[in-house]
Amino acid sequence: MKFFREESPSKKQAVERLRLILVHDRAKVSTGLLELLRGEIINAISKYVEIDENEIEIELNANDSKAELVANIPVVRVRRAIE
Amino acid sequence: MAGRVVVVTSGKGGVGKTTTVANIGTGLALRHKKVVMIDADIGLRNLDVVMGLENRIVYDLVDVAEKTCRSINKALIKDKRLSNLFLLPAAQTRNKDAITPDQMIEIVEGLKEEFDYILIDCPAGIERGFNNAVAAATEAIVVTTPEVSAVRDADRIIGLLQEKEIYEPLLVLNRLRPEMVRKGDMMDVDDINDILAIKLLGIVPDDEEIIISTNKGEPAVLNSHSKAGEAFRNIVKRLEGEEVPFMPINGETGLFGKFLKLMHGK
Ligand SMILES: Nc1ncnc2c1ncn2[C@@H]1O[C@H](COP(=O)(O)OP(=O)(O)OP(=O)(O)O)[C@@H](O)[C@H]1O
Ligand SMILES: [Mg+2]
């Protein structure tokens, strides 16, 4: 027998859904966000590996449970051991 | 000193912008501020009805913009109850294109010297009407309800306000239902604060007094027994720079509620 209802998850769902929605909304609205990221990623990675800058793909993907930044970065060659 | 120009906006329709303008305007006037409320919702005017002033309208915002009426003072409607509170009504038979942001700025400039507060009731949406309403404002109040779609739209509006160089909008969380929050079926103020990350101006409970007061054309802030009225009185104080603790929002009533809380160990 149950006297008290278990805490309903509907608010948790609301918060979680909102969080994901806003990841997308904000990323789309702030044009240049992905471009900026792209530039910085190229800078960071180029120190260690030579990459094909023209073939880089950076996307924001989401499904029902999470949002993720997916980067596809073709490597041309790895630089020699870095001291 | 020139008055404060505050736009009340939301993105999503029907979340309580007009109610908020009427109550804050009236609340400020009760504190002896000289206040004018501008209904910028052209084509769907409402603020006159909420204030109970619908029978007194002669000229409207568009008449002022087009200079159909000789002076802006002719278009200002004095409140029934408070002699330092005025309404500049929206046109009902025109649409949002009937005025421009520049005209809005000119009108507000003309009012700034005379009034302590100029409150602008923004229409829903992010198009022309929004741009007009925001053009002259230097401060903003964003109204939302604790629902996913309303909070989402509020977030969008906060971004658009930034583009208009209004960087610190204040949040009014309207229609909170404490009982639902307690059961975990409604986002509470912490959840929304966490998501929107702007300064909280106040929390207004869902209250049937709002509907009753709208029926009568008397803002709830005038009613000392209304919970929503009390929330708006606190909002007005905070807007004026007073530190007012936020009303405890807990759904339980009386002993049984306290007992429940004990049982849950919270
Ligand atoms: N705290 C509240 N408790 C109960 N009812 C409320 C509350 N706030 C607003 N309402 C009701 O919700 C409805 C919409 O409110 P209001 O007209 O203020 O919203 P709005 O944002 O101005 O809408 P619009 O986008 O159409 O201009 C009205 O019927 C009003 O009485
Ligand atoms: Mg309205």
Side-chain angles (χ1 to χ4, degrees), chain A residues 4-15 17-19 21-22 25-26 29, chain B residues 148 151-152 155-156 163 182-188 191 195-196 260 263-264 266:
Chain A
F4 306 115
R5 196 158 72 111
E6 295 289 304
E7 174 139 314
S8 157
S10 87
K11 150 188 149 165
K12 285 195 186 117
Q13 281 174 280
V15 170
R17 288 175 61 215
L18 247 176
R19 206 177 54 76
I21 290 168
L22 293 187
D25 285 1
R26 289 185 189 177
V29 171
Chain B
V148 175
V151 177
R152 177 194 202 178
D155 190 76
R156 182 77 207 283
E163 288 174 19
R182 195 180 63 74
K183 288 183 184 154
D185 275 324
M186 182 175 270
M187 288 186 281
D188 66 22
D191 300 317
I195 288 165
L196 294 179
L260 267 182
M263 294 287 295
H264 283 141
K266 315 184 201 169

Side-chain angles (χ1 to χ4, degrees), chain A residues 2-56:
Chain A
K2 238 167 145 186
F3 285 104
F4 306 115
R5 196 158 72 111
E6 295 289 304
E7 174 139 314
S8 157
S10 87
K11 150 188 149 165
K12 285 195 186 117
Q13 281 174 280
V15 170
E16 201 39 41
R17 288 175 61 215
L18 247 176
R19 206 177 54 76
L20 284 172
I21 290 168
L22 293 187
V23 165
H24 271 266
D25 285 1
R26 289 185 189 177
K28 280 213 193 86
V29 171
S30 46
T31 43
L33 172 68
L34 287 181
E35 276 314 300
L36 265 163
L37 262 174
R38 184 192 174 92
E40 300 227 4
I41 288 173
I42 291 175
N43 277 341
I45 292 182
S46 302
K47 286 187 209 152
Y48 307 99
V49 294
E50 190 176 315
I51 54 184
D52 184 349
E53 294 192 12
N54 298 321
E55 295 297 314
I56 293 179

Side-chain angles (χ1 to χ4, degrees), chain B residues 13-19 39 41 44-47 50 121-124:
Chain B
V15 297
K17 295 175 291 295
T18 301
T19 304
D39 188 347
D41 200 348
L44 291 170
R45 82 175 166 217
N46 273 163
L47 188 53
V50 175
D121 186 8
C122 182

Side-chain angles (χ1 to χ4, degrees), chain B residues 38-60:
Chain B
I38 302 178
D39 188 347
D41 200 348
I42 298 170
L44 291 170
R45 82 175 166 217
N46 273 163
L47 188 53
D48 53 334
V49 175
V50 175
M51 293 300 300
L53 298 172
E54 66 275 15
N55 293 326
R56 306 185 178 199
I57 297 176
V58 183
Y59 295 110
D60 57 48

Side-chain angles (χ1 to χ4, degrees), chain B residues 71-188:
Chain B
S71 86
I72 189 163
N73 287 320
K74 283 210 176 301
L76 297 182
I77 300 164
K78 190 188 271 179
D79 184 58
K80 283 179 187 169
R81 296 148 290 243
L82 299 161
S83 62
N84 49 331
L85 177 61
F86 295 82
L87 169 70
L88 179 51
Q92 180 67 346
T93 53
R94 302 290 292 272
N95 66 36
K96 311 248 179 312
D97 304 333
I99 65 167
T100 65
D102 284 341
Q103 285 174 322
M104 197 67 187
I105 290 169
E106 193 189 332
I107 291 167
V108 167
E109 278 307 314
L111 294 167
K112 255 187 186 167
E113 291 309 315
E114 203 185 328
F115 290 91
D116 299 312
Y117 283 89
I118 297 160
L119 303 178
I120 302 168
D121 186 8
C122 182
I126 56 174
E127 313 295 334
R128 292 285 300 252
F130 171 80
N131 288 330
N132 285 333
V134 169
T138 49
E139 297 175 69
I141 293 172
V142 175
V143 183
T144 188
T145 58
E147 288 171 277
V148 175
S149 53
V151 177
R152 177 194 202 178
D153 290 355
D155 190 76
R156 182 77 207 283
I157 285 292
I158 292 166
L160 292 172
L161 287 169
Q162 256 170 30
E163 288 174 19
K164 310 265 178 203
E165 294 173 21
I166 298 178
Y167 296 111
E168 291 182 346
L170 300 166
L171 181 70
V172 168
L173 179 56
N174 190 24
R175 307 199 76 161
L176 197 78
R177 293 173 64 174
E179 185 62 20
M180 288 191 75
V181 170
R182 195 180 63 74
K183 288 183 184 154
D185 275 324
M186 182 175 270
M187 288 186 281
D188 66 22

